[in-house]
Amino acid sequence: MRLSDRARDLPESGIRKFFELAEARDDVISLGVGEPDFSAPWAARTAAIDSLERGKTSYTSNRGMAALRERIAAHHERYDQPYDPTDEVLVTTGASEAVDLALRALVDPGDTVAVHEPTYISYGPGIELAGGERLTVPTLAADDFVLTREQLEASGAADADLLVLCYPNNPTGATMSDEAFAEVAAFCRDNDLRVIADEIYAALTYGTDHASIATQPGMRERTVVINGFSKAYAMTGLRLGYALGPTDAIDAMNRIHQYTMLSAPTTPQYAAIEALDSCDDEVAEMVGEYNRRRRLVVSRFNEMGLDTFEPGGAFYAFPNCGGDDEAFAEELLEAQGVAVVPGSVFGAGGEGHLRVSYATSMRELKEATDRIATFVADRE
Amino acid sequence: MDAEREVLDVLARNAREDIDDIAAQTGLDADAVAEAIATLEANHVVHGYQAVVDWDRVDEGKIRAVAEINVELDRETGYDQVADRIAKFPAVDALHLVSGDYDFAVEVLGETMQDVSRFISEQVAPMPEVTQTVTHYIMETYKDGGVRFEDGDDDDRLSVSP
Ligand SMILES: Cc1ncc(COP(=O)(O)O)c(C=O)c1O
């Protein structure tokens, strides 16, 4: 069949190759997984089951169930993010849909969209599909992958129309403080940039509270915040996320959503209501466990001589492998059966690094880091 | 969170973690971990370290029962005294004073069902304060010590994902 140019030009994701290499073997310990190893809290799962038993299988309102939007709005008070559940919240099919809607609602053909890299792999293709031009803003290992005003200026982002932010970051685990965001916010106000802030890892921060650019002066009205249930509540397969933003942006996103999605899936909306009502303790438990794993992984990489900064969020560490990251990852898989993702897959500035997910059991993390240490020692 | 609590959180999950791994997971140094463990033990917060055993999978496994025990106290005898006497029997694995319809919940461990019923009828029931016992044999254990007894869940996540 003849395909659209748009589809033909869309490249295969760099993750794909490593997925295939890893799947080809059956003895692999994978530190390449970008989703929690926990299951959704049981209370949330039973709420989903109950809803099915009660026959709740129809569409919901386009924007999502009112009861869910109210809880989402209430939940975000903890991040100092006040949004009106009636017209400033849109429930979507995963954060993925929210990212796509935000780009389509905010980008005109030819608009320039600045993206800091390394970052999550979906923004670039999303920008292209929306007709925008991607402008890469590298973040630096020397800055622990925090986005700075200098980097924005040096990359020419002053002329951009939009900035896509992802903190806590996939793949680096980097977080930004309010002070660091103040600089970026000033740059956005000075140069009239709007912002899409993907904060899906907001609940997974260690030792510091989550900070958001949307709380900076003058930023709420120019920012769409994206979040979801996949990471915090281990609900990746249930496909539920949401966007928070000023009425005009959420209205525009909802207009696209009502034609392309109609409404987010109903069953997970029931699970999400229960998750927000009663699962804070379970999230805290998971965060505690991630935190212990994070410290173990970071200290083990540093001990074996792969320089690793202390990531403040998500469930990734980003060790420097001191050279060709793709070759390192391939040889490591071959020699020791440990899968990691080469940092260059996530864009400029990722080269020479590895994304190591610690969303895996402590036992496997110890075994995997032992194997990596052997691999590193053998290479020297 | 203080150091002892952080160490305790690790040990409560896996008492076999070694000091260096506990140090790595908590961000404390090894000496501080050793000190925290010593304090936890000295203060009787940690009373011991045991495996979580699924006795049904052990040949010549053990029989377990939960016995409800009612007692009548008098001026000289309180719950603590009765508990002390019941707890001294090695067959008693756990002993709790509980709220509700009866006073003590006793977990009893024996080689055979006979052992257990003999223990209850010959040792516990005759105690002067004990007015009633009801024994429930455990037929199947699904979860113990916070650990679900199953053959291990397969990880069905994709091995590499964005
Ligand atoms: C930064 C980031 N945003 C969005 C997503 C997708 O989230 P969802 O499952 O809600 O579509 C992911 C998943 O890996 C992610 O890492």
Side-chain angles (χ1 to χ4, degrees), chain A residues 19 32 75 86 111 114 152 162 197 206 224 255 271 274 285 287 312 322 358-359 371:
Chain A
F19 171 68
H75 181 80
T86 51
D111 277 0
L152 284 162
L162 196 71
Y206 310 105
V224 172
R255 233 173 309 130
E274 184 62 32
E285 274 282 310
V287 170
Y358 51 84
R371 291 193 202 177

Side-chain angles (χ1 to χ4, degrees), chain A residues 34-35 93-97 99 119-120 122-123 166 168-170 198-201 226-231 235-237 239-241 316 355, chain B residues 161-162:
Chain A
E35 61 176 322
T93 304
S96 300
E97 192 213 350
V99 170
T119 199
Y120 182 55
S122 290
Y123 311 129
C166 175
N169 182 257
N170 176 4
D198 181 350
E199 301 180 359
I200 192 155
Y201 292 102
I226 288 165
N227 206 319
F229 296 89
S230 283
K231 314 294 174 170
M235 279 172 42
T236 43
R239 312 304 307 126
L240 205 69
Y316 308 107
R355 189 192 73 173
Chain B
S161 55

Side-chain angles (χ1 to χ4, degrees), chain A residues 239-259:
Chain A
R239 312 304 307 126
L240 205 69
Y242 52 89
L244 308 169
T247 312
D248 51 357
I250 293 297
D251 268 348
M253 289 170 66
N254 184 41
R255 233 173 309 130
I256 303 171
H257 170 81
Q258 70 183 340
Y259 295 118

Side-chain angles (χ1 to χ4, degrees), chain A residues 41-63:
Chain A
W42 179 237
R45 283 185 274 158
T46 55
I49 296 166
D50 285 349
S51 77
L52 289 172
E53 285 185 345
R54 285 183 290 128
K56 302 293 185 191
T57 55
S58 1
Y59 298 125
T60 67
S61 115
N62 294 136
R63 290 172 188 265

Side-chain angles (χ1 to χ4, degrees), chain A residues 293-304:
Chain A
R293 297 174 184 177
R294 176 186 72 107
R295 292 188 185 123
L296 178 98
V297 163
V298 170
S299 78
R300 288 206 169 187
F301 275 104
N302 281 318
E303 275 164 26
M304 65 178 94

